């Protein structure tokens, strides 16, 4: 029978059957005989005892008058039957207990050892191990990642059970090689893997899952060593950020996985904070805003032809009182739900203006990209007030030999909700010389019409389009088309999320102008960000 998915008929794997085949011949030789042997001897003993009882006193007396050897034989048979009956019960019980101890010991060693457990470690045993780890960890944080193989049923039906089993083993090995030290992994369903990572927040878990998906997509698989085009989908959750118990974290990771499946293949979704986590994160954000601990971490943007830095993007970070740095993906969800995003944007824009002034005076000609959220677009008076307060940035063009180095980023989805309203809100910044960049271009909302009507200077190309161009001729054609249109409209293109030389080469070969990503540099937090006080015109 072919190996089925969660919706199939084959039961979930168990280490009892997967790893203990060596003991099964011995058990098969003894276990069937034990009940037969015990039953036969018990019947013999009970029959003899019943016969003696029916004989009564006279019968027993007559029996005693028989030759002594016959009487001794009857007594021996009676007691022999009782002894053998008890021995059979003891032997059968001992074999069963021995077999159970072997299974528990071998399964436990796979889960509790210093290395990753086998991918087919029993689900219940794995969860019991995690509960013991968590109970002894004094409420230390941890993350869960639940992986699912995309389209596994189709792969199983197409290639058969043997190939499906080999694929499961290869995926397990690729996942294990992508995990950090101390992580634990087990099969959680017929085509699912659950990963436990101690001392990791939801943001890091999201990046870990994304890196694992990319690793699996590259393979290699099978004897050929070539990728099979297999992709995974993942959901992540964390304690205490999004959940308050292991059971809750598993439930949230499962829900996040289902949401990721609904969005398509090769996707990662992070669970949103629960009410307790939301309140805790909200308090942290409020405190950071009040204490001016919201900083910008700057990631370089390079010219793909020369490799030289030409710009940088400021990304939101919060520094906790004890020094821990939170990435935007760790607190922006809570900030959005509690309507704090516009205040975070304001803090970053204040820093960007001051950084423009200071760096330009030093002769640094790089552009400074800042993100503007949909929430800040609703604060038109605040934007106008900030632009007025920093109108001095209009003279930066004289210092840099170019226009104002400030570039305002807005995503397509936010722009296309109401392009006219978005332009009206941003106009005060544009009036002091700031330029406009469209973020996540090509992420599914693209409309070329607004390129003809809005003063757009930069298009930031969605990372997934570049990844698709690795294998898809259509994606490469779309990339060429975007680059051609941008060149004709005198718009510079920027490739986002460049993680390796292969992606950089794809972008470079298709004429993309600039690029940013971990391959060129990670966001760096200033140790003492310059702040320029400004009277708030918003909330």
């Amino acid at each position: 029978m072919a190996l089925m998915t969660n919706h199939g008929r084959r039961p979930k794997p168990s280490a009892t059957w997967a790893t203990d085949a060596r003991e099964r011949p011995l058990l098969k030789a003894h276990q069937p005989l034990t009940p037969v042997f015990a039953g036969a001897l018990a019947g013999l003993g009970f029959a003899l005892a019943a016969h003696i009882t029916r004989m009564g006193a006279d019968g027993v007396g007559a029996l005693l008058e028989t030759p002594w050897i016959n009487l001794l034989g009857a007594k021996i048979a009676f007691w022999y039957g009782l002894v053998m009956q008890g021995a059979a019960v003891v032997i059968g019980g001992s074999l069963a207990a021995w077999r159970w101890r072997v299974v528990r010991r071998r399964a436990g060693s796979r889960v509790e050892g210093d290395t990753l457990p086998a991918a087919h470690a029993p689900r219940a045993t794995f969860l019991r191990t995690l509960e013991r780890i968590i109970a002894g960890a004094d409420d230390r944080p941890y993350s869960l990642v639940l992986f699912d193989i995309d389209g596994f049923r189709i792969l199983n039906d197409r290639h058969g059970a043997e190939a499906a089993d080999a694929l499961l083993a290869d995926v397990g090995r690729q996942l294990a090689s992508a995990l950090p030290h101390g992580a634990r992994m087990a099969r959680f369903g017929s085509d699912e893997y659950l990963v436990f990572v101690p001392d990791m927040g939801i943001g890091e878990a999201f990046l870990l899952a994304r890196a694992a998906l990319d690793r699996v997509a590259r393979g290699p698989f099978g004897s050929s060593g070539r990728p099979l085009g297999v992709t995974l989908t993942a959901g992540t959750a964390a304690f205490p950020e999004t959940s308050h118990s292991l059971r809750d974290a598993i439930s949230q990771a499962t829900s996040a996985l289902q949401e990721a499946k609904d969005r398509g293949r090769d996707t990662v979704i992070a669970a949103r904070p629960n009410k307790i986590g939301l309140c805790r994160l909200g308090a942290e954000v409020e405190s950071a805003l009040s204490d001016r601990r919201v900083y910008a971490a700057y990631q370089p943007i390079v010219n793909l032809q020369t490799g030289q830095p030409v710009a940088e993007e400021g990304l939101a970070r919060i520094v906790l009182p004890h020094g821990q740095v939170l990435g935007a993906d760790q607190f922006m969800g809570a900030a959005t739900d509690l309507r704090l995003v516009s205040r975070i944007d304001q803090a970053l824009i204040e820093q960007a203006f001051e950084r423009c002034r200071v760096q330009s005076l030093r002769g640094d000609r790089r552009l400074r990209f800042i993100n503007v959220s949909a929430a800040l677009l609703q604060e038109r008076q605040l934007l106008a007030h900030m632009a007025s307060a920093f109108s001095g940035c209009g003279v930066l063009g004289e210092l840099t030999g170019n226009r104002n180095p400030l570039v305002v980023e807005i995503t397509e989805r936010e722009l296309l909700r109401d392009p006219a309203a978005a332009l009206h809100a941003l106009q005060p910044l544009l009036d002091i010389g700031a330029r406009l960049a469209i973020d996540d271009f090509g992420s599914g909302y693209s409309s070329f019409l607004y390129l003809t009507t809005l003063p757009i200077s930069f298009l930031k190309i969605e990372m997934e389009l570049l990844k698709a161009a690795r294998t898809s001729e259509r994606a490469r054609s779309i990339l060429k088309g975007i680059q051609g249109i941008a060149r004709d409209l005198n718009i510079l293109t920027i490739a986002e999320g460049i993680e390796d030389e292969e992606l950089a080469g794809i972008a470079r070969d298709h004429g993309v102008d600039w690029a940013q990503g971990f391959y060129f540099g990670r966001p760096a937090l200033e140790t003492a960000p310059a702040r320029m006080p400004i009277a708030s015109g918003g909330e």
Side-chain angles (χ1 to χ4, degrees), residues 378-395:
Q378 305 302 315
E379 302 284 350
R380 297 180 183 178
Q381 292 183 351
L382 174 60
L383 285 171
H385 178 80
M386 294 173 67
S388 175
F390 291 102
S391 58
C393 280
V395 303

Side-chain angles (χ1 to χ4, degrees), residues 38-52 74 77-85:
L41 292 180
L44 176 61
F46 282 118
L48 182 58
H51 176 69
I52 294 175
F78 175 73
W79 291 111
Y80 175 77
L82 292 180
V83 170
M84 292 305 294
Q85 178 187 0

Side-chain angles (χ1 to χ4, degrees), residues 403-418:
R403 297 175 57 187
N404 187 323
L406 186 67
V407 180
V408 177
E409 280 190 38
I410 183 173
T411 65
E412 274 193 308
R413 59 180 60 90
E414 291 164 354
L415 177 65
L416 292 181
R417 288 172 183 169
D418 191 341

Side-chain angles (χ1 to χ4, degrees), residues 360-361 365 392-405:
S360 296
L361 289 172
R365 298 175 179 270
C393 280
V395 303
L396 290 179
E398 301 175 6
L399 297 173
T400 62
N402 202 338
R403 297 175 57 187
N404 187 323

